[in-house]
Amino acid sequence: FSFFSAMENLVGLLRITVVRGVNLAKRDVSSSDPYVIVKMGKQKLKTRVVKKNINPEWNEELTLSISDPNVPIKLQVYDRDTFSLDDKMGDAEFDIRAYVEALKMHLQNIPSGTVITKVKPNRENCLAEESNIMWENGKVVQNLFLRLRNVECGEIELTLSWIDVPGSRGL
């Protein structure tokens, strides 16, 4: 494993802003202490824990190295417990294919706030509502509301943005 082969495989970095959770499940007596784990292949990233809040605001940026944009990104929500295993509070996954297609258009000079494409919720994805891929301040950004699976309730809001890496193979 060398740095150069890693760079050759890299297409870029995906910045995932874990914005907030909405109506998450209660796993403690009256609330939960939720945090989010984001996984893609062997990469695993984690947000901080928000204490006693089922509508947590994380606004935390996690960055994944993307070598294959076809691999789905998995997200798991847990309730932090001090004395026992952390309780699961649902999971979701999303793919970035539509987002990558929008990036490949290499758009320039269009008004900020322009919607490039929309991804509709369907049985194959975890979207709670239509997701807009937009041009914002010179960048392609995607906002997602994911409905958590394997749990009674809860949604997670994310924003995706892209970081080009000099020396990578790019998109």
Side-chain angles (χ1 to χ4, degrees):
F1 179 80
S2 75
F3 177 71
F4 291 107
S5 65
M7 285 300 285
E8 273 168 30
N9 290 330
L10 190 72
V11 288
L13 300 176
L14 182 70
R15 179 176 284 153
I16 302 170
T17 305
V18 181
V19 182
R20 63 190 174 120
V22 180
N23 190 24
L24 300 179
K26 290 177 184 159
R27 285 291 178 264
D28 298 331
V29 179
S30 61
S31 189
S32 289
D33 304 321
Y35 64 92
V36 177
I37 290 178
V38 173
K39 283 184 185 169
M40 184 186 202
K42 293 189 176 117
Q43 300 177 79
K44 183 175 167 180
L45 305 166
K46 190 172 144 179
T47 67
R48 68 185 189 281
V49 173
V50 175
K51 293 275 185 211
K52 303 212 175 316
N53 198 332
I54 55 166
N55 294 293
E57 302 260 348
W58 285 285
N59 289 312
E60 201 163 328
E61 290 184 351
L62 304 175
T63 304
L64 288 172
S65 312
I66 306 296
S67 49
D68 181 358
N70 295 313
V71 174
I73 299 171
K74 294 182 172 16
L75 179 139
Q76 291 162 314
V77 185
Y78 287 93
D79 168 38
R80 181 87 185 104
D81 283 328
T82 312
F83 299 110
S84 58
L85 284 173
D86 293 359
D87 296 316
K88 290 183 174 164
M89 293 171 60
D91 64 275
E93 66 174 39
F94 61 96
D95 76 61
I96 56 169
R97 285 177 297 206
Y99 178 68
V100 167
E101 288 307 310
L103 289 169
K104 284 181 180 168
M105 294 177 190
H106 299 297
L107 299 164
Q108 294 294 327
N109 310 326
I110 57 173
S112 188
T114 303
V115 176
I116 302 164
T117 182
K118 295 178 181 198
V119 184
K120 299 218 181 300
N122 62 32
R123 287 200 181 92
E124 272 70 65
N125 65 35
C126 292
L127 292 173
E129 58 185 53
E130 196 167 70
S131 169
N132 286 341
I133 300 175
M134 300 177 70
W135 181 260
E136 267 175 26
N137 306 322
K139 291 208 302 209
V140 179
V141 173
Q142 182 173 8
N143 298 314
L144 304 117
F145 258 105
L146 298 176
R147 183 174 288 125
L148 296 170
R149 305 178 292 201
N150 305 312
V151 68
E152 56 272 26
C153 58
E155 293 176 7
I156 297 286
E157 183 184 356
L158 305 173
T159 304
L160 309 182
S161 57
W162 189 256
I163 303 165
D164 279 314
V165 179
S168 68
R169 65 189 166 114
L171 287 168

